[in-house]
């Protein structure tokens, strides 16, 4: 899990810094150190990928070395070898500065570093793995979707900003005038250059060209960016609107359910103390469902095979049932029977504070055992006169 998070962080770093090379930021100790970390990390990742198992279609983990190596060779090895090879080629080009023209070498480095963006193809796989390890509620998932859309929007604006600066620099060589000369960007530091370009890029997403192009190349690039910005902006707004609407629907469903319950209690003349208990109990039950989704709300569980569903129920309930000595012994003697008990004989019961589970002299029609998952029971015995 930590290794996957590190890989995702390095991919995000490349997404920011590779376009920044178009602004000629120069090298420093930090960027040099991170470049070495990236080379070593992804090179080591190639070696470890031959040792890490993968999930088969039947849900089992394949750990046989020859199968693992074959699977990696047929999936991610070509891309990893291609990108890692260019990472080390960048190091060779950096050492060859004394043998080549500086301008030619810098252009070669930019081309080599651009190859790092191919690692974006691995980002969905890493995020899917993280989602398997860290399941979240539907509301939090929608918030994460909105954040992801906004980050994609900012990244697109970042890429367009860096390209806009590079277009101005290159067109100044073949044309007598450029937007860089008109804005006086030449003598500015990196932060000011980037802020001006990023401002232009955000304005382009709203359909406004705050910095006018001065030659044919800049006009063509501006027209292309305005068109792409229109398409991207429409997609971003649509995605955010859909997620926000879904969030509002979820919240409104909760409010409407509570409103219907209050109306029922009022219409039937329920006393105020009992009505308060009912409402708090309902709110507690909804909070429990929000924290742990009930099985009835998962539609896909109704279509999977019965043996697999029995294994799911055994994984869920056995950790509680096997704490009882009898259940532990029964599972050793009859594992299939224990799985059937977990599959057919278990029901969940949610209680609120001061609820009465059973009373004195009460005999249940169906014999039952109660296992406390969270909270505690309090046994009270009435005093006899």
């Amino acid at each position: 899990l930590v290794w996957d998070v590190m890989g995702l962080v390095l991919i995000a770093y490349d997404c920011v810094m590779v376009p920044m090379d178009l602004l000629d930021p120069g090298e420093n100790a930090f960027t040099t150190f991170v470049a070495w970390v990236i080379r070593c990390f992804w090179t080591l990742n190639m070696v470890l990928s031959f040792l890490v198992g993968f999930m088969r279609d039947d849900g089992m983990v394949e750990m046989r070395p020859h199968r693992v190596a074959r699977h990696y060779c047929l999936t991610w090895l070509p891309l990893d070898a291609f990108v890692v090879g260019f990472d080390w080629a960048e190091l060779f080009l950096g050492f060859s500065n004394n043998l080549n023209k500086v301008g030619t070498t810098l252009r070669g480095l930019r081309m080599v570093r651009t190859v790092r963006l191919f690692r974006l193809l691995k980002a969905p796989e890493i995020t899917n793995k993280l989602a398997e390890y860290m399941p979240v509620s539907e509301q939090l998932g929608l918030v994460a979707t909105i954040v992801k859309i906004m980050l994609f929007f900012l990244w697109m604006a970042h890429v367009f900003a860096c390209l806009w600066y590079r277009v101005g620099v290159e067109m100044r060589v073949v044309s007598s005038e450029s937007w860089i000369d008109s804005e006086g960007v030449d003598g500015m530091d990196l932060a000011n250059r980037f802020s001006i370009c990023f401002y232009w890029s955000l304005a382009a997403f709203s359909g406004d060209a705050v910095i006018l192009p001065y030659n044919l190349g800049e006009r063509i690039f501006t027209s292309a960016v305005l068109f792409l910005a229109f398409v991207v902006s429409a997609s971003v707004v649509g995605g955010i609107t859909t997620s926000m609407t879904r969030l509002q629907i979820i919240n409104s469903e909760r409010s409407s359910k509570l409103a219907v319950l209050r109306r029922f209690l009022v219409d039937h003349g329920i006393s105020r103390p009992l009505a308060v208990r009912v409402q708090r109990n309902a709110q507690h039950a909804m909070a429990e469902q929000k924290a742990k989704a009930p099985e009835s709300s998962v539609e896909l569980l109704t279509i999977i095979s019965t043996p697999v569903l029995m294994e799911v129920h055994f994984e869920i309930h056995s950790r509680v049932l096997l704490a009882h000595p009898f259940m532990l012994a029964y599972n050793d003697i009859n594992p299939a029977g224990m799985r059937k008990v977990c599959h057919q004989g278990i029901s969940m019961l949610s209680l609120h504070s001061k609820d009465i589970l059973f009373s004195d002299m009460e005999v249940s029609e169906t014999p039952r055992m109660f296992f406390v998952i969270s909270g505690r029971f309090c046994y009270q015995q009435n005093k006899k006169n």
Side-chain angles (χ1 to χ4, degrees):
L1 181 61
V2 176
W3 189 263
D4 289 335
V5 172
M6 288 180 60
L8 198 61
V9 170
L10 293 179
I11 291 174
Y13 175 84
D14 280 340
C15 288
V16 174
M17 296 306 298
V18 170
M20 285 291 289
D21 284 338
L22 299 174
L23 275 75
D24 299 326
E27 295 289 337
N28 55 52
F30 174 76
T31 56
T32 303
F33 171 76
V34 176
W36 273 103
V37 171
I38 290 174
R39 292 188 197 100
C40 297
F41 177 87
W42 291 112
T43 303
L44 181 60
N45 183 74
M46 288 181 60
V47 178
L48 295 178
S49 296
F50 285 99
L51 308 175
V52 178
F54 65 94
M55 190 75 70
R56 299 195 311 234
D57 293 337
D58 59 359
M60 302 300 292
V61 179
E62 180 61 74
M63 292 298 297
R64 286 174 289 185
H66 67 283
R67 293 288 182 89
V68 173
R70 181 175 179 273
H71 178 265
Y72 179 57
C73 291
L74 294 176
T75 52
W76 291 111
L77 178 61
L79 176 65
D80 288 344
F82 176 72
V83 179
V84 170
F86 272 90
D87 280 341
W88 290 104
E90 175 193 356
L91 182 64
F92 172 77
L93 285 174
F95 285 149
S96 64
N97 264 343
N98 297 328
L99 304 177
N100 299 285
K101 294 180 180 179
V102 176
T104 303
T105 303
L106 288 177
R107 284 193 291 271
L109 285 174
R110 291 193 194 100
M111 292 296 294
V112 169
R113 289 172 181 171
T114 304
V115 176
R116 291 183 186 174
L117 295 180
F118 280 103
R119 290 199 180 103
L120 277 172
L121 298 174
K122 302 191 72 170
E125 182 187 24
I126 297 176
T127 54
N128 289 337
K129 286 183 180 178
L130 295 178
E132 292 175 357
Y133 283 105
M134 297 182 296
V136 297
S137 62
E138 185 178 4
Q139 291 93 326
L140 191 57
L142 290 172
V143 173
T145 300
I146 295 173
V147 172
K148 182 170 63 175
I149 293 173
M150 295 177 67
L151 290 176
F152 172 75
F153 175 81
L154 290 175
W155 181 71
M156 289 295 296
H158 171 70
V159 172
F160 286 152
C162 298
L163 288 173
W164 174 238
Y165 177 82
R166 181 49 50 184
V167 167
V169 171
E170 298 297 333
M171 293 308 301
R172 190 170 55 172
V173 178
V174 298
S175 178
S176 58
E177 53 184 356
S178 171
W179 76 267
I180 291 182
D181 298 322
S182 67
E183 297 295 328
V185 178
D186 242 352
M188 296 182 180
D189 58 6
L190 177 63
N192 283 307
R193 279 181 286 153
F194 176 75
S195 62
I196 291 175
C197 295
F198 193 71
Y199 171 64
W200 172 88
S201 181
L202 290 178
F205 275 95
S206 65
D208 185 16
V210 294
I211 299 177
L212 297 178
Y214 281 83
N215 52 61
L216 178 61
E218 292 176 359
R219 283 191 288 270
I220 293 175
F221 180 77
T222 301
S223 301
V225 168
L226 288 174
F227 174 75
L228 291 175
F230 169 76
V231 176
V232 172
S233 298
S235 302
V236 168
V237 171
I240 292 178
T241 302
T242 301
S243 300
M244 292 294 293
T245 302
R246 180 59 186 161
L247 272 175
Q248 292 177 354
I249 290 175
I250 293 174
N251 293 329
S252 63
E253 285 180 352
R254 182 176 182 276
S255 300
S256 62
K257 289 178 180 179
L258 289 175
V260 171
L261 177 61
R262 294 190 189 100
R263 180 65 182 271
F264 171 83
L265 297 175
V266 171
D267 291 345
H268 289 78
I270 305 300
S271 61
R272 183 174 178 80
L274 180 57
V276 172
R277 279 188 58 197
V278 170
Q279 293 180 60
R280 290 181 178 177
N281 199 325
Q283 291 174 356
H284 173 73
M286 287 192 294
E288 288 290 324
Q289 290 185 356
K290 183 179 179 181
K292 293 184 178 180
E295 183 178 334
S296 58
S297 66
V298 185
E299 297 181 4
L300 293 180
L301 288 178
T302 61
I303 63 176
I304 66 175
S305 63
T306 301
V308 174
L309 187 59
M310 290 179 67
E311 291 295 330
V312 171
H313 288 156
F314 179 76
E315 287 276 340
I316 295 174
H317 303 305
S318 63
R319 61 177 68 101
V320 177
L321 297 184
L322 296 184
H324 195 285
F326 172 79
M327 295 295 181
L328 183 61
Y330 183 67
N331 181 59
D332 293 337
I333 297 172
N334 187 6
M338 190 64 197
R339 279 162 172 76
K340 193 170 183 180
V341 169
C342 293
H343 179 59
Q344 296 181 342
I346 302 295
S347 62
M348 303 297 293
L349 181 62
S350 178
L351 299 175
H352 192 254
S353 177
K354 297 183 180 180
D355 282 348
I356 299 176
L357 182 60
F358 54 84
S359 303
D360 292 343
M361 309 303 293
E362 179 181 350
V363 179
S364 176
E365 296 180 357
T366 303
R368 294 182 294 174
M369 294 179 65
F370 295 102
F371 291 83
V372 181
I373 298 177
S374 63
R376 63 187 181 91
F377 279 152
C378 181
Y379 293 91
Q380 293 182 346
Q381 186 175 12
N382 293 331
K383 295 182 179 180
K384 298 181 179 178
N385 294 328

